[in-house]
Amino acid sequence: MPNSKYIARARAHSNIAFIKYWGNRDDALRLPANSSLSMNLAALHSTTTVEWSEERSADSLTINDAEAGAAALERVRAHLNLLRERLGTSMFARVESSNNFPMGAGIASSASAFAALTLAAVAALGVEVPQRQLSTLARLGSGSASRSIPGGFVEWLAGDFHETSYAESIAEREHWDLVDIIAIVSRRHKRVGSSAGHRTADTSVLQSARVETVDERLRKVKGAIMNRDFSALAGIVEADSNLMHAVMMTSDPALFYWLPLSLAVMQAARRWRLEEGLRVCYTLDAGPNVHCICVAADAERVAGRLAALSPDIEIVRSGPGPGAFLLPRA
Ligand code: PMV
């Protein structure tokens, strides 16, 4: 990239939700139906350079050094439009983004991408923005991206309007050495992405029941994290994931993200915990891959058992990660 004063590079990590975000009260602002809670993932991150320029007549985007497809470019443009509006600039941007995890592995999440894009875009303009505001801006690109701005274990407070819907750390990443062992059961790109899914959440009769009871689950998960109490954490994390998937399956159109192998992993994780005392539980996002959350002391055994379950399972492993941060220019 040429020398410019409007340039910055940022890194943000992906996150896995223990209490899920599903459905918006306001789709345009991505104001969620409920508060959620997640752990950033140290092993999975996006690194993004943004360069604003008065000479540019359109935004451009590369992902992993290749020109991005129309859909990805459109989504980034839409986010840059919102940032331009809120930050008061009319410049266009050149965006270069890369992920350290394989694209299309079904573990790529928009969270790290939009958190890194937001931080780089804001920093490149030279404006100082507090973390809370940065989180609200990242939320406009992808709801879960709001949770990739702060570090460690993060709660996204649903809020009532743009300024009050932001995420904050409830504990630093050093607080608890949990490990997310992701069992990749399919590398196929999901047919229905989460943005479309959020829009149909309310068509399920189960969504109101999920939302009405979520604050109690969130309170318990928060308490379990603060006390590093895995047995208190495990059942609720699984229940919350099951509830979100029950909503998905009963929406119109119905969304089925689980594959037979997803269910096999879920049942095995539950069995290992309840019958053998391994400290592991499962949670799934809008895809078939199973995040097995476990304590570090049991991670080796869990990884070994997952590998033994099926030759079709690939494993990616991650501990708690930091919040979004700026890097020196490449
Ligand atoms: O940020 P989005 O719009 O990709 O939504 C993420 C939704 C889930 O991953 C399914 C749940 C969550 O809280 O991360």
Side-chain angles (χ1 to χ4, degrees):
M1 283 194 179
N3 264 348
S4 159
K5 54 183 181 148
Y6 298 117
I7 187 167
R9 192 159 75 110
R11 176 167 297 165
H13 291 254
S14 176
N15 67 69
I16 177 66
F18 294 167
I19 296 293
K20 306 295 188 185
Y21 149 53
W22 194 247
N24 290 321
R25 278 185 301 119
D26 181 323
D27 274 321
L29 283 176
R30 294 184 200 268
L31 294 180
N34 61 280
S35 298
S36 55
L37 193 150
S38 57
M39 177 178 97
N40 281 358
L41 297 174
L44 306 175
H45 57 73
S46 302
T47 305
T48 302
T49 301
V50 172
E51 185 199 25
W52 299 100
S53 162
E54 270 144 7
E55 271 94 70
R56 222 174 285 285
S57 57
D59 299 315
S60 68
L61 171 67
T62 61
I63 301 176
N64 293 344
D65 294 325
E67 214 59 52
L73 177 61
E74 204 31 60
R75 191 156 172 200
V76 163
R77 268 188 189 148
H79 189 53
L80 292 172
N81 282 340
L82 295 171
L83 294 180
R84 272 188 279 267
E85 218 171 274
R86 289 179 184 271
L87 301 170
T89 180
S90 55
M91 288 188 284
F92 288 101
R94 178 175 166 82
V95 179
E96 287 181 5
S97 194
S98 61
N99 302 310
N100 76 327
F101 44 88
M103 294 277 286
I107 52 169
S109 115
S110 51
S112 56
F114 280 94
L117 172 64
T118 304
L119 175 56
V122 168
L125 285 174
V127 284
E128 287 274 336
V129 165
Q131 187 184 76
R132 183 178 290 192
Q133 194 186 340
L134 213 52
S135 173
T136 64
L137 293 173
R139 189 199 76 237
L140 297 171
S142 167
S144 56
S146 67
R147 297 191 310 240
S148 281
I149 296 290
F153 298 86
V154 175
E155 179 180 3
W156 170 15
L157 300 128
D160 291 320
F161 39 91
H162 173 69
E163 288 77 10
T164 56
S165 187
Y166 60 88
E168 62 187 13
S169 282
I170 59 158
E172 291 309 316
R173 63 178 164 145
E174 295 80 13
H175 172 72
W176 198 7
D177 50 355
L178 289 180
V179 181
D180 179 6
I181 303 182
I182 311 170
I184 298 176
V185 303
S186 166
R187 290 177 159 268
R188 271 188 47 194
H189 201 75
K190 53 188 167 202
R191 264 169 304 191
V192 180
S194 39
S195 293
H198 292 301
R199 282 194 288 275
T200 61
D202 276 332
T203 62
S204 164
V205 295
L206 303 182
Q207 171 72 346
S208 56
R210 188 190 71 83
V211 171
E212 269 162 33
T213 53
V214 72
D215 284 342
E216 181 63 8
R217 288 190 298 282
L218 196 137
R219 194 182 59 76
K220 286 182 180 160
V221 162
K222 215 164 146 177
I225 290 172
M226 297 329 282
N227 298 324
R228 300 185 195 88
D229 181 347
F230 192 83
S231 58
L233 182 83
I236 305 171
V237 167
E238 291 186 352
D240 193 78
S241 171
N242 293 347
L243 277 162
M244 179 183 72
H245 284 270
V247 168
M248 292 162 160
M249 290 175 201
T250 50
S251 291
D252 183 13
L255 295 171
F256 292 92
Y257 286 110
W258 298 354
L259 292 174
L261 198 47
S262 316
L263 189 59
V265 174
M266 292 158 72
Q267 286 175 319
R270 201 176 138 77
R271 202 171 56 238
W272 297 334
R273 181 174 80 256
L274 298 180
E275 292 174 14
E276 300 174 50
L278 275 185
R279 284 158 297 173
V280 58
C281 66
Y282 66 78
T283 183
L284 290 85
D285 282 340
N289 299 321
V290 186
H291 293 252
C292 295
I293 310 297
C294 56
V295 299
D298 289 346
E300 253 347 287
R301 283 170 74 196
V302 170
R305 280 168 185 240
L306 284 171
L309 209 58
S310 162
D312 297 330
I313 294 177
E314 267 181 71
I315 280 167
V316 171
R317 189 174 155 152
S318 179
F325 57 97
L326 288 170
L327 289 164
R329 278 166 56 173

